[in-house]
Amino acid sequence: MASTAQAERRPKLAGRETRHGALRVAMLPPAERMSLRAPAASVAALASALKIRLPNAPRQSAKSGQRTSLWLGPDEWLILDEGGGDPLADCRSVTAVHSAAGISHRNVAIEVSGPGAAACLNSGCPRDLSLAAFPVGACSRTLLGKVEIIIYRTAEDNFRVECWRSFSDYVFEFLSVAAKDVAG
Amino acid sequence: MLLIRCPYCEEDRPELEFRNAGEAHIARSANIAGESDEAFETFFFIRSNPKGLHYERWRHVHGCARFFNAVRDTVSDKFLMTYKAGEAKPDAETLKTLGASAAWTNLSTEHLGGRRPARGKGDTE
Amino acid sequence: MSGPFRISGAGRLDPERKAKFTFDQKPFTGIEGDTLASALLANGVHLMGRSFKYHRPRGVLSAGAEEPNALVTVARDDARKTPNVRATVQEVYEGLDATSQNRWPSLAFDVGQVNDMASPMFSAGFYYKTFMWPKAAWKHLYEPNIRAAAGLGVAPDKPDPDHYSSRFSHCEVLVIGGGAAGIAAALAAAQTGVRVVLCDEQPTFGGSLRFEMGAEISGEDAYFWAQETVEKLRAMDNVTLLNRTTAFGYYAQNFVGLVERVTDHMAAPGDLPRERLWQVRARRVVLATGAIERHMVFGDNDRPGVMLASAARTYLNYYGVAVGRNVGVFTSNDSAYAAAIDLKKVGVNIAALVDLRDNPSGPLVEQARALGIEVNHGRAVVSTAGRLRISSMTIQAKSGGGERMIPVDALLMSGGWTPSVHLFSQSRGKLSFDAATHRFLPGATAQACVSVGACAGSDDLGTAVAEALKAGEKAARDAGGKGEVSARIRVSASEGWSGGMLGTGPAGEGSTRKAFVDFQNDVTAKDIRLAVREGMHSIEHVKRFTTNGMATDQGKTSNMHGLAIAAEALGKPIPEVGLTTFRPPYTPVTFGAIVNHARHALFDPTRRTPIHPWAEAQGAVFEDVGQWKRAWYYPKAGEDMHAAVNRECVTVRKSAGLFDASTLGKIEVVGPDAAKFMELLYTNPWEKLEPGRCRYGIMLREDGFIYDDGVVGRLAPDRFHVTTTTGGAARVMNHMEDYLQTEFPQLNVWLTSISEQWAVIAVQGPKSRDIIAPLVEGIDMSDAALPHMSVREGKICGVPTRLFRMSFTGDRGFEVNVPSDYGQAVWEALWAEGQKHGACAYGTESMHVLRAEKGYIIVGQDTDGTVTPDDAGLDWAVGKKKADFVGIRGMKRPDLVDKGRRQLVGLRTKDPKVVLEEGAQIVADPKQPIPMKMIGHVTSSYWSENCGRSIALALVAGGRDRIGQTLYVPMPSGTIEVEVTGMVFFDETGGRLNG
């Protein structure tokens, strides 16, 4: 029946990037994303199926190959797969009680990297992003200006910022303006 | 902007991440359909609105997204404590024991190393 | 030389770095680092402004942020005109263009000055008493004219082209004030290793060390120590130094607002933000905000040339400017002696020093006498003379007797020092009146802060620095600082004084001359006494009646005097009268800094759907729906909205239309108890809904009123795809989470917002299946396999889809959900198919018309939060056998089941061409007297091209019983007759759903 070629994927703001000195704000390529919800009793089975640890403490993340798990709430994880894996498929066989919902297209990711990356986020994010309070590997849902974001610190000067697709114009613009101020 | 301790995230977080959700510990009847008009009125409309300690619900909507409970003094706007949804309502005795530990801002002049001048009549705020 | 009053060798600026500027179009030369005030004084200009009410000529009073008089407008261009800039704060830069305010036609000759001669009329309360009648005149006559005559600068009428930036900052210790105490506290705190922020409102750190020549640390000029120490701090990674930065507000839990002025001092700001807002959260705050000198209250104490002694000292010792050649001094404490001595030393004649005290003594007094300065003790200045500049002062013994006139070209005064407790008070700390020194000092704290130095009443440098070191270290230790503090600061010489006076001097009471308390608001001692006489016994009332302390300077120099005079008039001790409340901001803050990034694209997020670019390219007109931009209609060439909507509506029913429904809220409800949860949150029954089928659901609040609605598809026994209204998406999710987490936490079910995971393309109309089918894989599209209200997962254009067979038009319809990134490509493929069938794209307006033709409601338009399912004719959607759902009890409340409630019905105008206005009120009898009894209102109203007439929905009392009746809609242009009908206007049998 299908007579046409597969529909083209058109990621939001694909390839957009602004640089101010060594401080860079750039869209990241699409990734597989899954919102995973589960009670404590199901965590072991899910972790085993997903082949990644599911941290049980606030702000913690785990990484395994191209897959990352971010603790967002006491029964909530964001599973990212940047290597083409399909976490939804991995969960399908798990009989332990859980909810796995695909949100690959709901979110987009923006990378803020370079000296002053934390200050750049702090232009609109009220959180303490010092290494003591928010070390490498820390993650959290929070706010940037008027928009909810998820921040995940991948290095001292590198953050992955996730937001909903339609908020990305705002978030990208906000971070670009902030980067300019921080870079001076 | 207040700092509010999220009992799930286990740290003080900026007020911007939270949303108030009204008075806490108002139980919805398991047989709500069978409640009298008076009982439903009390449940749905009547709120304590106290001057002083207020038990209230908050949601860490831009954080872990959990609803939790708090005891806040409506006069000083200070949070005495926060606790997870479903945990027992702390009684007055428990709250008394919290003292200075409840909020790191609520410390005495002496503790902070300040000097307290001789107090005059009619000290103002 | 940059001005005849610049003293060679004096001051801390580099005289080689010149900057040319203009004041009232006249060119001047200053030095980089000068303020506008110091540069003008260097050129002998004292007259800088006119007072607010009496238009009296005014010069600078101060050399800092407390300045009440010298307010000017600084303009970079037409849009960058900043009014009410303090000349004592504005730094000079090459090309600075400053203009005086509140005068016409010129500063030296101001017509408004008649107010001064008519001043007996303008006593406190004058406006309140005089312009009472007639009432209407206040708004249109009195107020505009008063505002025009009495005023400050003029705000620019163009948008602000500058940008502003912001930073949330966290530190263990925030030190406010970069004088000796602040620097010492910051150093001690920083050495422990914690994060320290040190801010100061001046361009250079040092505070009063900038002018106190008698201060020495480790044997050298304390100002150099300050600069060296600041450089040491600057080199530390854990220290943030912010100069030109004012801490303007102290909020809860050590949250302090700072404004950093980034470019106001620059000739070429380039692309830098004008200001940067710092929102600092500090574990501990050290307040080292210093003290502000008070003026003396005596007759005509406001002439240009009359200023604070500390100001004159600052102009000399920091800016290298003598404020006159023949200077008088009037004081009630020692600090003015230091000014006289410094000026005398550079060759300025001190005409006379007048000390109110009977027997002043001490080293400064001795030194003054030794320098040959005439010291008159036990005497007071009772008046001054001079038109645009002081020319003489008249002195008299306190006990009265003969007056003596002494020519002067400047008069320095000191009434003592007021500790700057503004921020401490803002923090809700309590102030204590220190009876010995007659001043309010920080008392009990409300937050984790500590005051050190002059703001805490420490009068000498040694004490201030010692306590600051201790407090800085303690603050850092309390906040976790571990490092060793090695800082030792040896104060080898220090200036220090206490005392002074509050209120007026002798001969104050009876004098007819104006003795100003508040310069900026033109409040005199007499006004305050009058206020007390007229019955204002609370200081808050005195303040509002006289406006003392209510100007832009917030009474930094005037509050204590005002209080003392009021206390004296009331016959009460000062602490019993009490101080007015200090509120943020400490100094005025620009709207730009507050608004910050939130302008233009960043004012509010603008949300666009994945299909938006296509609609934009097609020339769609968009409407705002919350933060979303939605395609409203797609006009073809020459079409207006009406024509476009008519065409779209007809095309959909004739062939088909494509509609971008991506903004719909979507929630995935997953878990073994998903159906149970749905049963509780919606009125409908869900347990028996087969996977693959859909149902229209209604959600109530606990009060029984409709909260939201939408079509819900059951994808699997444990998985529902719920849709919500566009506007309801976020609050419905919150509502569902609330019940799930707090009322039904035992249920094993979870909610995930998938609103933006899926782009939604509604394809509606008789040809809809023909358009979709060729692109679909793995879904049997036959009516038997995919009946109305069903859902299937499969593929379209090779990408995953959740395909809903559902209709919001009453015609055969589908909603194609595809992952958002594929939305536009799939839309384009469907569009190409649609072209083969003559389909169109339609927008939200046509969507509204089409659904109204079928009587489908829109929550929030046809309901308003007081409409029950029965009111809306949706009783069929309430599960009658259910034991519980949110709203089950609320909807049984007596009022909600009463007869005569407003029910949703259709209206047909008797004249089919007349389209009712939405919101119009409905009456049963148009002839009744006004006010008429209104029995309902129109909720939706459109021209329906498909029906060939207007259609409307309305909430009407007892509406369903009135079907067939004629009602009336009274409008300004005449009464419209309508017939009450059912809600369905088109295809009443519903056959077209499968047509």
Coordinates of all heavy atoms in Angstrom, one line a residue, chain C residues 4 81 90 102 118 149 267 350 404 424 534 562 640 744 773 850 907 928 930:
Chain C
P4 N 38.9 75.2 36.9 CA 39.7 76.1 37.8 C 39.7 75.6 39.3 O 40.6 76.1 40.0 CB 39.0 77.4 37.6 CG 37.6 77.1 37.1 CD 37.8 75.8 36.3
K81 N 17.5 58.1 27.0 CA 17.4 59.3 27.9 C 17.0 58.8 29.3 O 15.9 58.4 29.5 CB 16.3 60.2 27.4 CG 16.8 61.2 26.3 CD 15.7 62.1 25.9 CE 16.1 62.9 24.7 NZ 15.0 63.3 23.9
Q90 N 26.7 59.4 38.5 CA 27.0 59.3 37.0 C 28.4 59.7 36.8 O 28.9 60.8 37.1 CB 26.1 60.3 36.2 CG 26.4 60.3 34.7 CD 26.2 58.9 34.1 OE1 25.1 58.3 34.2 NE2 27.2 58.4 33.4
N102 N 13.4 69.9 35.6 CA 12.4 70.6 36.4 C 12.7 72.2 36.4 O 12.6 72.8 37.4 CB 12.4 70.1 37.9 CG 11.1 70.5 38.6 OD1 10.1 70.6 38.0 ND2 11.2 70.7 39.9
A118 N 5.3 82.0 46.4 CA 3.9 81.7 46.9 C 3.9 80.6 47.9 O 2.9 80.0 48.3 CB 3.1 81.3 45.7
A149 N 3.9 70.7 36.7 CA 4.6 71.8 37.4 C 5.6 71.2 38.4 O 6.7 71.7 38.5 CB 3.6 72.7 38.1
A267 N 32.0 55.6 27.3 CA 31.8 56.4 26.1 C 31.2 55.5 25.0 O 30.3 56.0 24.3 CB 33.1 57.1 25.7
I350 N 39.1 79.1 55.1 CA 38.0 78.7 55.9 C 37.5 80.0 56.6 O 38.1 80.5 57.5 CB 38.3 77.6 56.9 CG1 38.9 76.4 56.2 CG2 37.1 77.2 57.7 CD1 38.0 75.7 55.2
R404 N 25.7 87.8 62.9 CA 26.9 88.3 62.1 C 26.9 87.6 60.8 O 26.7 86.4 60.7 CB 28.2 87.8 62.9 CG 29.5 88.1 62.2 CD 30.6 87.6 63.1 NE 31.8 87.2 62.3 CZ 32.7 86.3 62.6 NH1 32.6 85.6 63.7 NH2 33.7 86.1 61.8
F424 N 19.7 46.0 56.4 CA 19.5 45.2 57.6 C 18.0 45.2 58.0 O 17.4 44.2 58.3 CB 20.3 45.8 58.8 CG 20.0 45.0 60.1 CD1 20.6 43.8 60.4 CD2 19.1 45.6 61.0 CE1 20.3 43.1 61.5 CE2 18.8 44.9 62.2 CZ 19.4 43.7 62.4
E534 N -1.6 69.1 63.1 CA -2.9 68.7 62.4 C -3.3 67.3 62.8 O -4.3 66.7 62.2 CB -2.7 68.8 60.9 CG -2.4 70.3 60.5 CD -3.2 70.7 59.3 OE1 -3.8 69.9 58.6 OE2 -3.1 71.9 59.0
G562 N 13.6 64.2 60.4 CA 12.2 64.3 60.4 C 11.6 63.6 61.6 O 10.7 64.2 62.3
D640 N -10.8 37.4 2.2 CA -10.7 37.9 3.6 C -11.0 36.7 4.5 O -11.2 35.6 4.0 CB -11.7 39.1 3.8 CG -13.1 38.7 3.6 OD1 -13.4 37.5 3.4 OD2 -14.0 39.6 3.7
F744 N -5.0 8.6 45.4 CA -5.0 7.2 44.9 C -3.6 6.6 44.8 O -3.3 6.0 43.7 CB -5.8 7.1 43.6 CG -7.1 7.8 43.6 CD1 -7.3 8.8 42.6 CD2 -8.1 7.6 44.6 CE1 -8.5 9.5 42.6 CE2 -9.3 8.3 44.5 CZ -9.5 9.3 43.6
A773 N -5.4 6.4 3.2 CA -5.2 5.0 3.0 C -4.0 4.7 2.2 O -3.2 3.8 2.5 CB -6.5 4.4 2.3
L850 N -17.1 24.3 12.2 CA -17.6 22.9 11.9 C -18.1 22.2 13.1 O -19.0 21.4 13.1 CB -16.4 22.2 11.2 CG -16.0 22.7 9.8 CD1 -14.7 22.2 9.4 CD2 -17.1 22.3 8.8
L907 N -29.2 28.3 19.3 CA -30.1 29.5 19.0 C -30.1 29.7 17.5 O -29.0 29.6 16.8 CB -29.5 30.8 19.6 CG -29.5 30.9 21.2 CD1 -29.0 32.2 21.6 CD2 -30.9 30.6 21.8
Q928 N -39.4 44.6 29.1 CA -39.3 44.9 30.5 C -38.4 46.1 30.8 O -37.5 46.4 30.0 CB -38.8 43.6 31.3 CG -37.4 43.3 30.8 CD -36.9 42.0 31.5 OE1 -36.9 41.8 32.7 NE2 -36.5 41.0 30.6
I930 N -35.4 48.4 32.3 CA -34.0 48.2 32.6 C -33.8 48.4 34.1 O -34.4 49.3 34.6 CB -33.1 49.2 31.7 CG1 -33.2 48.8 30.3 CG2 -31.7 49.2 32.2 CD1 -32.6 49.8 29.3

